[in-house]
Amino acid sequence: MTMTLTGCGSGSGGDVTLQLVAADYGHGKSNGSQQYWDQLARGFEKKNPGIKVDVHVYSWTDVDKKVADMVDSGHAPDLAQIGAYADYAAKGKLYSADQLLSIPVQANFTPSLEEAGEYKRVQYGMPFGASTRRLFYNKKLFAQAGITAPPQNWNDIAHDAQLLKAHGVKMPFALPLGPEETQAETLMWMLSGGGGYTDSIGKYTIDSPENVRTFSWLKDNLVGKGLTGTDPAKLNRGAAFQGFADGDVGMLNGHPTLMKQAEAKGIDYGTVELPGTKGKAKATMGVADWMMAFKQNGHRAEAGKFLDYVYSDKNVEKFSGEYGLLPVTTSASQAMQADDKYSKLHGFLKQLASAEFYPANKTSWPLISKTVKAKMGAAVHPNGNPSGVLTDIQNTADAADSAAE
């Protein structure tokens, strides 16, 4: 950490020090999130001399556990920018958004994101950094294999993958169902097959007929035919993205940060909406990370003032532009859509309003996400049993939901 930890209480002369724990979106020190936050905090402190902000940035591997340990030991940070909020909201540990933010700031969140931040119809999770998913394809590899258009449906994916394999492409379709981000790849395929994790009233439907059909199709038509290049259960998202940037992957599902990675290696790529069974998928997956404010230290007014500053257009646009993410506010989204500098993000941005998110408002979701990471790769193994694996996860989900009630 670049900054020493100060206490969470009031400092000398009645000053308040806010402690923020945040996740790192950077690729190494040159663009680590610590720099973004340090600059933002200094700008805020200049305008608000009575409030100091100490920011501690951790990798995504560690940040959620770090906050959980702090809360469990009775030393909750004032603010946390992490992956899940519902458990803390359910235990009454968080301020609601309307207790913190000015009305114009709260009203400016993209509606789909605001809704995804609600626990029992009250917003506790403030979206911070969002993305949607599209299918990326390598134009050079497609041309070499004689493929003239990107895939529009599952038959196209299977057909194109066969052609790519015949032309010696190492990984025609990268399917990362390794533990890093299995829950994301799983949801994308569920949505493209007409299913999802939950139904319209929030009940888990993991072993629905649509989902069983989807993973049976993947097992039989991609993995079983050697079109994924490796065992999906052993392939992590980071390795799949690196493979695409290295020119070894024909196509894969990706988010906006893959664009910078591919461009840095000179890859000529295209993106299209996720293909579904007969045409486009019913929806794409949206992901948002969450900002939340803990009640423990009683710094509601100071935390609210800081968050109003965090969510100003200037700061939202700067963060989104730096890390290739989508802005979480309506005004910053409109500004980005009107700016040709961000033209490659426009396709991702247009999908945000109708995107479907993880069921992060369910306190059982962290456990289900962990279970999906552990088991889902086995569902598509040539000797696997998609129905059995999905039923197994469904049983865990039902038990977790019953225990939460």
Side-chain angles (χ1 to χ4, degrees), residues 322-372:
E322 174 68 33
Y323 298 108
L325 291 161
L326 305 180
V328 296
T329 63
T330 303
S331 54
S333 295
Q334 286 167 345
M336 192 177 264
Q337 274 187 311
D339 190 339
D340 287 344
K341 184 171 77 173
Y342 298 114
S343 60
K344 288 188 174 174
L345 280 172
H346 291 171
F348 293 91
L349 202 50
K350 282 177 191 148
Q351 298 177 155
L352 192 56
S354 59
E356 295 206 12
F357 296 83
Y358 298 133
N361 58 341
K362 292 170 77 69
T363 55
S364 55
W365 172 242
L367 170 66
I368 304 317
S369 175
K370 198 172 159 187
T371 308
V372 168

Side-chain angles (χ1 to χ4, degrees), residues 53-72:
V53 185
D54 267 1
V55 187
H56 307 278
V57 172
Y58 297 92
S59 74
W60 272 111
T61 317
D62 303 321
V63 71
D64 287 282
K65 186 174 187 311
K66 181 72 186 170
V67 171
D69 289 347
M70 291 171 79
V71 173
D72 290 345

Side-chain angles (χ1 to χ4, degrees), residues 160-358:
D160 294 350
Q162 287 280 17
L163 291 173
L164 290 163
K165 185 184 181 186
H167 277 76
V169 175
K170 280 188 194 172
M171 211 175 274
F173 195 104
L175 185 66
L177 290 173
E180 184 187 352
E181 211 189 36
T182 331
Q183 79 286 4
E185 191 71 18
T186 297
L187 180 55
M188 282 181 264
W189 281 100
M190 284 176 167
L191 291 170
S192 68
Y197 280 121
T198 58
D199 61 16
S200 57
I201 56 166
K203 187 180 184 313
Y204 283 115
T205 54
I206 292 163
D207 63 350
S208 69
E210 292 85 356
N211 291 342
V212 172
R213 260 200 311 275
T214 294
F215 289 93
S216 299
W217 184 88
L218 284 170
K219 170 182 172 275
D220 296 339
N221 294 279
L222 289 188
V223 186
K225 291 183 178 171
L227 301 178
T228 56
T230 187
D231 177 1
K234 293 189 171 75
L235 181 67
N236 276 326
R237 187 200 72 194
F241 278 21
Q242 189 59 52
F244 189 78
D246 290 341
D248 293 332
V249 171
M251 50 187 154
L252 80 171
N253 296 328
H255 55 62
T257 53
L258 179 55
M259 297 193 299
K260 274 190 176 177
Q261 205 174 335
E263 283 160 13
K265 290 287 201 87
I267 297 295
D268 186 14
Y269 65 88
T271 74
V272 288
E273 288 181 51
L274 298 185
T277 48
K278 299 276 192 290
K280 287 176 194 167
K282 70 166 185 176
T284 189
M285 180 181 92
V287 172
D289 302 316
W290 302 103
M291 177 71 80
M292 61 213 72
F294 287 87
K295 291 177 178 175
Q296 186 181 333
N297 304 313
H299 296 151
R300 180 176 71 84
E302 294 86 356
K305 198 173 268 198
F306 178 62
L307 289 171
D308 272 0
Y309 184 77
V310 167
Y311 286 109
S312 68
D313 279 356
K314 183 186 77 167
N315 287 324
V316 171
E317 285 172 39
K318 187 179 176 195
F319 178 81
S320 304
E322 174 68 33
Y323 298 108
L325 291 161
L326 305 180
V328 296
T329 63
T330 303
S331 54
S333 295
Q334 286 167 345
M336 192 177 264
Q337 274 187 311
D339 190 339
D340 287 344
K341 184 171 77 173
Y342 298 114
S343 60
K344 288 188 174 174
L345 280 172
H346 291 171
F348 293 91
L349 202 50
K350 282 177 191 148
Q351 298 177 155
L352 192 56
S354 59
E356 295 206 12
F357 296 83
Y358 298 133

Side-chain angles (χ1 to χ4, degrees), residues 43-178:
F44 173 77
E45 288 167 357
K46 267 186 195 160
K47 294 185 174 184
N48 299 273
I51 309 171
K52 294 208 172 336
V53 185
D54 267 1
V55 187
H56 307 278
V57 172
Y58 297 92
S59 74
W60 272 111
T61 317
D62 303 321
V63 71
D64 287 282
K65 186 174 187 311
K66 181 72 186 170
V67 171
D69 289 347
M70 291 171 79
V71 173
D72 290 345
S73 68
H75 298 100
D78 295 288
L79 297 152
Q81 184 268 301
I82 52 176
Y85 65 86
D87 206 28
Y88 300 122
K91 290 174 181 164
K93 293 183 182 292
L94 301 179
Y95 290 117
S96 60
D98 62 357
Q99 291 176 303
L100 295 157
L101 302 171
S102 63
I103 289 169
V105 171
Q106 193 185 359
N108 196 22
F109 287 127
T110 300
S112 61
L113 293 170
E114 182 187 351
E115 201 177 307
E118 291 179 356
Y119 174 73
K120 295 195 170 171
R121 297 181 182 252
V122 176
Q123 187 187 2
Y124 295 95
M126 290 158 276
F128 189 88
S131 66
T132 58
R133 301 295 194 264
R134 290 169 72 82
L135 183 122
F136 283 68
Y137 63 99
N138 182 314
K139 289 184 175 179
K140 183 181 170 188
L141 296 180
F142 266 52
Q144 287 171 348
I147 306 165
T148 55
Q152 302 296 316
N153 56 46
W154 286 3
N155 284 343
D156 292 346
I157 286 177
H159 176 259
D160 294 350
Q162 287 280 17
L163 291 173
L164 290 163
K165 185 184 181 186
H167 277 76
V169 175
K170 280 188 194 172
M171 211 175 274
F173 195 104
L175 185 66
L177 290 173

